[in-house]
Amino acid sequence: MIRKNISLQPSQVKNFVDTASKCNFDVDIYYNRYVVDAKSILGVLGLDFNQKLTVEFSGHNAEFEQYLDTLAVAG
């Protein structure tokens, strides 16, 4: 399982979901105990964008990982 901490703004949600949807494996995004499917635009829009978010996945997709690097935050 790979985990990356990101910061996401509402204006970035569509691009994030589109990129995650290209992955042929499950991608979850969460903070605290609130977990949603990262391929669900409504689920992602329900997140608190003032929090550091964690993306968790278990496959490999170079485009998705490069995109996550642009959103990465320390921690």
Side-chain angles (χ1 to χ4, degrees), residues 27-38 43 47 54 56:
V27 181
D28 293 323
I29 184 169
Y30 65 91
Y31 68 95
N32 295 334
R33 287 185 245 146
Y34 190 74
V35 180
V36 298
D37 180 355
L47 295 171
T54 302
E56 186 173 86

Side-chain angles (χ1 to χ4, degrees), residues 13 16 20 23 25-26 30-31 34-36 40 45 51 53 55 62 65 69 71:
V13 169
F16 175 81
C23 298
F25 46 84
D26 289 337
Y30 65 91
Y31 68 95
Y34 190 74
V35 180
V36 298
S40 166
L45 282 170
Q51 301 288 324
L53 304 171
V55 178
E65 291 181 41
D69 288 342
L71 302 173

Side-chain angles (χ1 to χ4, degrees), residues 12 17 23 27 33-34 41 43 49 51-52 57 62 64 69:
Q12 298 170 306
V17 171
C23 298
V27 181
R33 287 185 245 146
Y34 190 74
I41 196 158
F49 297 110
Q51 301 288 324
K52 174 176 65 174
F57 55 98
F64 181 62
D69 288 342

